[in-house]
Amino acid sequence: MRIDRKRLESTIEELGRIGATERGGLTRLALTDEDRRGRDLLVGWMRQAGLRVTVDQMGNIFGERAGQPGRPPVMMGSHADSVPTGGKYDGQLGVLCALETIRTLNDHRVQTRHPVTVVVFTNEEGARFQPAMIASGVMAGKIPLEDAYNARDKDGLRLVDELERIGYLGPEPCVPRPLRAYLELHIEQGPYLEEEGLAVGVVEGIVAIAWSRLTIHGVQDHAGPTPMRIRHDALVAAAEVISGVRGIARQIGGELVTTVGSVTVSPNIPNAIPGRVTLSIDMRDPRDATLDKARWLLDGVVAEACRREGVTYELDHYWRVPYTPFDREVVSAVERAARATGAGHRRILSGAGHDAQYMAAIGPAGMVFVPSRGGRSHCEEEFTPMDDIEHGANTLLGAALELAGQP
Ligand SMILES: [Zn+2]
């Protein structure tokens, strides 16, 4: 049994037109009018496929294909929101391959023991409402519903009001539900599969992530009359921290990645010595122990940089997610399915967070990766060749069928 490549390709194109940008990308932020149009299209397709469609309190959409009564479903899906000027593969490819899997089961009139369900998660990207993965987080009981409802976008609009406005504030409770398994196909968003000429990644887990926030207090002063010898420049200390953070990854090596992605300078004008700088530090590694070591080195880098410039600081290690291993049975099922498609594949780790991370707290979860051209994502250049998508979708189909079982 194989998925219908032409049909899958046409759904990717059709959904990709909603919120399409001129340069071939996608802007479909969560709970905007574009998101509503995308959701409406998906719900229509689910109904055509004979699925029972329900929407929960967080706007997550479920389309269930019946199995034997009383059995928990094999759930497959991802998200349909994007970042601004993002791509049309991140998220929606997982939803559409799940839909294609169900359409293929329908084509072949396959009965399954467990129901097979497509899920579309709300606001995965965190581009409009923070935090990211908010709706699967609520479902897993990790984020209180009230907190999620009160999340506001940059215009002050509340998530719950926007859910209601686009007609996706559903009645179903957003709580952990019994699961046979959760499967998510997603683009890799890194370069490894493409570099190695492989079509499918069998994802073993999601790396541990540590976020820190550093605020440096220098002395704001005039850029002209203040001699160099009496300056306490918060931005100069920050610059040393930024290269020091890169140095931590160089020193530890392995798979550790470190990033300073956000810097706020005050007063941020040409003729004043910066008095205050706030910056973010993101560190990721598969091993929690490595992150502990990186954090310890970071404390030293910051202390040293600030001492040299004579500035004070606060360093807040405020968010930490441990390594999330996926379920061994699910990972094996994905691997067997990948092998059966004949696609080149290997085991891989995810460096990015996904809804599957929260779903792994509810039940057995796993992921299928397909390559990202040039390793690029969250940009209009995001692209995955159709040959690889076909292998990925067939892997998803095979794994779902094995886990759902046949009577
Ligand atoms: Zn995604």
Side-chain angles (χ1 to χ4, degrees), residues 344-357:
H345 64 279
R346 73 136 153 125
R347 292 195 173 211
I348 195 169
L349 291 171
S350 174
H354 296 289
D355 291 309
Q357 196 166 343

Side-chain angles (χ1 to χ4, degrees), residues 205-278:
I206 298 182
V207 298
I209 305 174
W211 278 10
S212 308
R213 188 186 299 115
L214 172 65
T215 305
I216 300 174
H217 304 278
V219 178
Q220 183 178 329
D221 210 335
H222 199 296
T226 314
M228 300 310 286
R229 63 188 160 76
I230 62 166
R231 294 185 182 207
H232 302 282
D233 186 328
L235 188 55
V236 169
E240 249 187 75
V241 170
I242 292 169
S243 58
V245 165
R246 166 67 68 93
I248 292 170
R250 227 180 359 244
Q251 186 180 338
I252 293 183
E255 292 170 277
L256 177 67
V257 288
T258 59
T259 307
V260 173
S262 164
V263 179
T264 312
V265 180
S266 173
N268 205 24
I269 55 168
N271 55 355
I273 298 163
R276 194 180 70 238
V277 172
T278 304

Side-chain angles (χ1 to χ4, degrees), residues 78-79 81 89-92 124-125 184 186-187 189 353-354 378:
S78 194
H79 58 95
D81 64 321
Y89 298 88
D90 181 349
Q92 60 178 337
E124 189 274 346
E125 292 290 4
E184 181 166 354
H186 203 279
I187 54 170
Q189 304 179 283
H354 296 289
H378 283 191

